[in-house]
Amino acid sequence: MNAITIFALALLAVPVFARFAKVSKEAIVHYHLIGLGGLFMLVGEATRITADKIAPIAFLLPAILAYAGVVFGTVWLALHYIKHPKEI
């Protein structure tokens, strides 16, 4: 396993730990977006492994979607906790 696969698995675990922490229903959506980014990272890594020589461009779309999901989820979550500081 390389570092991207481990990072993707860690991102997939974020919604599970948020549920254990009893995060509110409004905020859990943001954590799911971060988990979705981890899922796209795994899809991108699987695409890279299987189609490395056939289609080098095939890794770009899942990677872009993964990083966009992680960035948007993190920013959205930060804004949610700025608006609702008592949930921290």
Side-chain angles (χ1 to χ4, degrees):
M1 269 203 274
N2 60 7
I4 291 179
T5 307
I6 294 170
F7 184 58
L9 291 174
L11 287 175
L12 276 174
V14 167
V16 175
F17 289 126
R19 194 165 299 255
F20 283 141
K22 297 193 187 328
V23 174
S24 70
K25 296 274 185 191
E26 300 166 348
I28 200 78
V29 175
H30 314 308
Y31 288 104
H32 284 288
L33 188 58
I34 294 172
L36 186 64
L39 183 65
F40 278 123
M41 276 189 179
L42 281 178
V43 168
E45 188 65 18
T47 305
R48 186 191 63 79
I49 290 170
T50 57
D52 196 21
K53 305 231 190 280
I54 299 169
I57 196 80
F59 179 68
L60 277 175
L61 183 63
I64 290 170
L65 289 174
Y67 288 118
V70 171
V71 168
F72 290 140
T74 304
V75 169
W76 198 3
L77 195 59
L79 291 175
H80 175 77
Y81 282 124
I82 288 172
K83 288 180 185 176
H84 309 289
K86 292 185 180 185
E87 288 186 17
I88 296 177

